Amino acid sequence: MLVRTLLSAALAGLALLGPIASASGHGGGGDEPRFRALIFSKTAAFRHTECIPAGTVAIAQMALRHDFEVDATENAAEFTEQNLARYDVVIFLCTTGDVLNAQQQTAFEHYIQAGGGYAGIHSASDTEYDWPWYGRLVGAYFRDHPGVPGVNQQFQTATIRVEDPDTAATRDLPRRWTREEEWYNFRTNPRNLVHVLMNVDERTYDPRGYSQPGGSPPMGDHPIAWCHRYDGGRSFYTALGHKGSYFKEPLLLSHILGGLEIAAGLEPCRGENPRLDQLARQVVRDCNRDGDLDRDYPLGALRRALRLVDEDSRCARRIERAIERAQRERERELLRIYRDCSRDGDLDRDYPRGQLRRALRLLPDELREYTDCESAIEEALDDRG
């Protein structure tokens, strides 16, 4: 089936979409996709009329670009043990309310217990309040969001703090990421149950929610995306993604793609890199010795080192400035790759594999559509093994 037809079907919001994207024969991945995903977007309460079609299209496009296979459905009857066993991850995309009956819930529990993966996006936490197992799988239930008449706006610009920058879901993000969103508040803080990837800084917006007159109290410590192992399986959740336009943001798409890879078991939930841990300790020793950094360190090591020092210390300020310099250099490296490939459809110099992978993940749509940059970067990665 033609990709254009499939994406049009996704936008039409059909109750059951068959295979909407396949990795077969794309990007050098061979006939076998990296993983298989099922998008489930049934709603029994509020319906996100932008999130569901836009998110479905975005994930379908990811599948074509990143060598995985995806189906989409709103038919809960698809939740049988036999059918779910076909997938590495089930994506609850903006689901709401009571969407599965008891038999379907049992099938999904068995799927997770057998090592399956779950990825929840936005209102997936506003789903199945009477099913405690699901609440623990997600990590927390939705409470409310801003939008209190006469008090605050529903959509506000705020700053996200990336707590673990060394996972697939966060490695492309700035340490402080400022963007607009419908910021969710949760009934409980999941921090003690999950590995928090990001939190939202409540000092940068008005977090009071609609569930109480005059606004509900802020959470204080406010996780907004996380991952964890649960009951034999894997779970990733992000509260981001209300508006359809958000699914055109390269950083949000990178965040979601990385989350799917975590939930599918291709990437670890926690950043694990002994070499960077060793370098981070070296950064701290270097700074403590004379209050300065006497050499350049990788961005990942600097970010880890920042978590090892007092946030109000002189070393913290030094490390933060070093992180800013490293981030600027990373962006310059990205622009160099894009200028190189857009000039003649080829890469005229060698680039580190990590830079190439990041350039491919963040490739702007205009370069993807109107230049040979995508194929040039893929070829360079293939040449490097």
Side-chain angles (χ1 to χ4, degrees), residues 10 19 50 52 99 124 130 134 158 253 256 266 277 307 320 373:
E50 292 185 28
I52 292 172
V99 292
D130 297 325
Y134 178 82
L253 296 178
I256 291 174
L266 273 67
D277 288 337
R307 300 199 294 267
E320 285 172 349
C373 275

Side-chain angles (χ1 to χ4, degrees), residues 162-168 170-173 175 197 271 299-300 303-304 307 330:
V162 175
E163 295 192 22
D164 186 348
D166 301 311
T167 72
T170 54
R171 65 169 61 111
D172 290 331
L173 306 181
R175 186 173 177 84
L197 301 173
L299 181 58
R303 285 171 166 169
R304 287 169 186 249
R307 300 199 294 267
R330 175 181 279 193

Side-chain angles (χ1 to χ4, degrees), residues 235-257:
S235 173
F236 163 81
Y237 172 77
T238 181
L240 309 184
H242 178 92
K243 288 185 180 180
S245 59
Y246 297 159
F247 287 89
K248 296 183 181 296
E249 298 177 15
L251 290 178
L252 179 63
L253 296 178
S254 174
H255 170 59
I256 291 174
L257 174 62

Side-chain angles (χ1 to χ4, degrees), residues 145-294:
H145 56 67
V148 184
V151 174
N152 57 19
Q153 298 296 313
Q154 179 179 358
F155 299 98
Q156 300 180 52
T157 298
T159 297
I160 293 169
R161 294 177 292 204
V162 175
E163 295 192 22
D164 186 348
D166 301 311
T167 72
T170 54
R171 65 169 61 111
D172 290 331
L173 306 181
R175 186 173 177 84
R176 295 183 68 84
W177 180 22
T178 300
R179 62 182 301 276
E180 181 197 78
E181 186 57 78
E182 179 191 63
W183 301 103
Y184 272 16
N185 299 311
F186 301 97
R187 295 185 178 186
T188 57
N189 189 324
R191 183 172 292 278
N192 292 333
L193 303 174
V194 303
H195 177 60
V196 175
L197 301 173
M198 310 187 307
N199 69 75
V200 60
D201 186 347
E202 291 186 340
R203 298 171 299 179
T204 62
Y205 76 111
D206 185 346
R208 289 174 291 176
Y210 64 75
S211 62
Q212 293 184 21
S216 61
M219 288 181 62
D221 176 31
H222 197 144
I224 206 72
W226 53 80
C227 57
H228 65 130
R229 301 284 300 192
Y230 178 72
D231 202 15
R234 301 167 301 276
S235 173
F236 163 81
Y237 172 77
T238 181
L240 309 184
H242 178 92
K243 288 185 180 180
S245 59
Y246 297 159
F247 287 89
K248 296 183 181 296
E249 298 177 15
L251 290 178
L252 179 63
L253 296 178
S254 174
H255 170 59
I256 291 174
L257 174 62
L260 298 186
E261 292 171 340
I262 289 171
L266 273 67
E267 293 278 354
C269 175
R270 289 170 170 81
E272 300 169 359
N273 192 321
R275 176 179 172 273
L276 286 182
D277 288 337
Q278 182 180 12
L279 279 173
R281 292 190 292 270
Q282 184 175 330
V283 170
V284 175
R285 288 194 300 270
D286 187 356
C287 188
N288 284 335
R289 186 168 54 245
D290 57 6
D292 203 352
L293 296 178
D294 300 316

Side-chain angles (χ1 to χ4, degrees), residues 86-125:
R86 300 167 51 208
Y87 301 100
D88 301 290
V89 57
V90 178
I91 305 164
F92 277 54
L93 175 63
C94 295
T95 54
T96 57
D98 187 2
V99 292
L100 299 177
N101 64 28
Q103 184 177 2
Q104 293 156 358
Q105 290 176 358
T106 298
F108 190 54
E109 289 180 7
H110 289 170
Y111 163 76
I112 293 294
Q113 290 160 358
Y118 164 87
I121 297 175
H122 197 53
S123 61
S125 59

Side-chain angles (χ1 to χ4, degrees), residues 7 16 24 40 42 69 72-74 79 117 152 184 205 218 229 261-262 272 274 312-313 322 333 343 350-351 377 384:
L7 298 183
L16 174 63
S24 299
F40 181 57
K42 180 180 178 180
E69 188 174 279
T73 188
E74 295 198 356
F79 277 66
N152 57 19
Y184 272 16
Y205 76 111
R229 301 284 300 192
E261 292 171 340
I262 289 171
E272 300 169 359
D312 297 321
S313 67
E333 291 167 350
R343 186 167 51 243
D350 291 332
Y351 298 92
I377 297 171
R384 296 180 67 88

